[in-house]
Amino acid sequence: MFTRLKRLYRNTIFRLSMIAAAQFALLSLFMLGYIYYTTVVSELNRVDIEISSELEDFAKIHSVLGPNGVHEQVILSMLPVRDSLYAYSYQGLPTGNLESLPPFSDNGKYNFLATLFGLNNLNARTFVYSPFSDNDDTTNIGVEKKTTHRARGQYIKLAENEFLFVARDVERLMVKSERITRSLIIAMVIAIAMGLLSGLFVASRFTRRVGRLNKLATDVRSGDLQRRAPRDASGDELDVLAEHLNDMLDHINHLMQAMRYAGDSIAHDLRSPLTRLKTRLESAAMETKDEAVRDTLLRSSDDASELLRTFESVLHIARLETGDRRELLLPLNPKVVIEDIAELYEPSCEDAGLDFALEIEGKHMVRADRGLLSQAVSNLVENAIKYTPRGGAITLRLRKIRSGRVEISVTDTGPGIPPDERQRVKERFVRLEKSRTLPGSGLGLSLVDAIADLHRAKFVLSDGPGGPDSRMPGLRAALVFPRMKKT
Amino acid sequence: MRILVVEDDEIAAEYVRKGLMEAGHVVDLAGDGELGLEMAKSADYDALVLDRMLPKRDGLSLLSELRDDGDSTPVLILSALGEVDQKVEGLRAGGDDYLAKPYSFAELLARVEAMGRRSDPTAAVTKLKAGDLEMDLLARTVKRADQKILLQPREFRLLECLMRHAGKVVTRTMLLEKVWDYHFDPQTNVIDVHISRLRAKIDKEFETPMLHTVRGAGYRLQV
């Protein structure tokens, strides 16, 4: 889970959509603030001003008419406007529609917050009171019947022991603004969630498409030059990238074919003069009476034969690669092929001081060409004999692997092939540094690969079981055949 | 043997002619298909070496014409197309053996001489004899100087092939084809190993060795 999150975090598109979601959240926060200010704060300021001017009026009334005048005015003002609240205490005699004077305390923090929110009148306070439970109270229509209401009020001291508190019920305003705030917060949460989801969706889609391109690159690198990137005809950047990649691969393929064709042509054209050279050397060897000269001539002829064999192998591989012979493959029991090869090479193994084992499990059928299959297995066995030091072991095995496919493998206890070289050794003329001194043309495994390809079989090289010499991992060369279709 | 070589590559044809003549054969050359057919019909040859690709008339058509005419002269087909299917095609058209270019002259010689023998009526015998070596093809037994020799089935077939061509060179490729039915050349001396095992069985306890290696060519069972 953690690694998945980490991987997701590394995804470009996901990161971009997260940034977009965060930007949206910030914008909503800003909008929320703005709307709150315009609806609530400015309204509260207006209420504050109204209260202040009313308090000024009361102050004037007090100076002219005294406490009784204030008392009368409070009663008069109380009657018509239902959301106006008053509390007047004169020598312990309370008047007004507020049961008691709300407790006030001067508090610096509050002032700071009030300023921050943009409230101008720092003497005014927001407080909570319980209105008279009046069922036909028309002022609060649309507001849930609450036992407490919020109100905004301010008081003045008219004289010693004479306080007047004037307030306005702001419950309706507050409820409205709360509703706006709540819906804005919900919208914000939804937006962030949507951003997250679409980010995930787009990111996974993008990752999948980029993943396909990456897979293509690794496939091509491992030798499958025929692979092409899938196109979706959308014409977007990735599709265009896929097109360019495909064009590039076509071009590389074309170049490689041209190179191979040139090589094949050379091999083809050199065969006739080489054959003549060889024939000439042979007949000269037959004619001469001088033993030393004859020996030289015969050895030269052997060299010519080796060259010819190399050319033959190149052309053979080239012919196999065209895949023309694929239709000629017939269902056959590989057991017979394997047994024949085992019989052919067992004495060679014995002479080379190697333990030879043949393991055949179960009955199998594959679609194959007997000659080509024999040649491939023979090449693998010869390779094993060539590279495995005396005292080692070679196992030729035919079995069904877990996927139900038929596998023919040759395992030895030789030096093996390092993992990063395993693909390369299947190429033509590639020989590993340590095998350069041994005879061979570097075409053996290429031929096996070409034969495997013709049979649509996989040619897999891996470490062997490890031999008596622990520095040698051994080599396991396996041909894995595709399952035979029932026809 | 009187041999007709139908080959349009003059240099190659000349070397084949020279080589065959040195081996004691009488050789005629024909440079194209028409001439080759005419010569093959007009004279009685012991063997024909026929290139597949020829001017005027290709090798396979020449061969079918010859066979339709009731001529059963053994024919060795030479071809630059070395694939097995082409070989099958050539043999189906009436060829007796097939040799892919490039070939070694020793291989060609061995095959031509083997072919000459093949046309002998001795092919149907049930007993083979070479010197003091005897092989019973039905009882699958081998004796040398009346001493029984036990052979593995493959060794038996190997010896049978050598005995059928006793006194002649049999190449490694021929052995692979006739004894193992493989049409590819292994890179190692796998045939030599089998021959040396066989040699250990038939020669070791006897004074005169019979199974000889012919440098640059193959093996010969000396009578």
Side-chain angles (χ1 to χ4, degrees), chain A residues 380 395 397 399 401 407-413 416-417 422 459-465 473-480:
Chain A
L380 293 178
T395 307
R397 184 180 288 133
R399 59 168 186 165
I401 56 173
E407 184 200 71
I408 297 170
S409 64
V410 177
T411 314
D412 66 43
T413 55
I417 297 174
R422 283 177 193 156
F459 176 29
V460 189
L461 294 171
S462 52
D463 275 344
L475 182 69
R476 202 181 99 90
L479 294 170
V480 183

Side-chain angles (χ1 to χ4, degrees), chain A residues 282 319 325 343-344 382, chain B residues 83 85 105 154 188 194:
Chain A
E282 278 177 4
R319 277 194 297 263
R325 295 176 57 89
E343 194 250 11
L344 181 64
E382 286 192 341
Chain B
E83 288 283 353
D85 2 319
F105 180 73
R154 193 72 69 175
T188 55
H194 282 270

